[in-house]
Amino acid sequence: QAALMLVLTVVGPLLLVSLIVGVVIGLLQALTQIQEMTLTFVPKILTMGFVLLLMLPTIGQELADFMAKISDLIVTGSAAGA
């Protein structure tokens, strides 16, 4: 359960931004009738890179907390806290 929450915390913002940018670009393509396949990739990559840079401290902290929790479970030898 903790691992799934970690994955959602790390990947969730990137997927959400990618979804929003994809929908906006799709609407613009439908309105202007420009059907260029590569038009969606550049804005998605740029916005996902920007969001990744903004989220790096949060992602790092979440991964460090998860690793500390897993290390504590390994040291104590119990799976009751998982």
Side-chain angles (χ1 to χ4, degrees):
Q1 183 180 6
L4 285 175
M5 289 306 295
L6 177 68
V7 168
L8 287 176
T9 304
V10 169
V11 181
L14 293 172
L15 290 177
L16 188 63
V17 166
S18 177
L19 175 72
I20 292 170
V21 170
V23 168
V24 169
I25 296 295
L27 285 174
L28 287 174
Q29 283 182 331
L31 291 174
T32 61
Q33 295 183 354
I34 298 174
Q35 297 302 322
E36 180 63 34
M37 292 299 294
T38 59
L39 186 62
T40 59
F41 294 120
V42 174
K44 277 186 185 180
I45 288 174
L46 291 176
T47 54
M48 286 179 67
F50 181 70
V51 169
L52 183 63
L53 284 176
L54 288 178
M55 292 296 296
L56 271 178
T58 304
I59 292 171
Q61 186 63 45
E62 291 293 325
L63 289 173
D65 292 345
F66 185 73
M67 188 61 207
K69 185 186 300 184
I70 296 297
S71 298
D72 288 342
L73 288 174
I74 290 171
V75 168
T76 59
S78 69

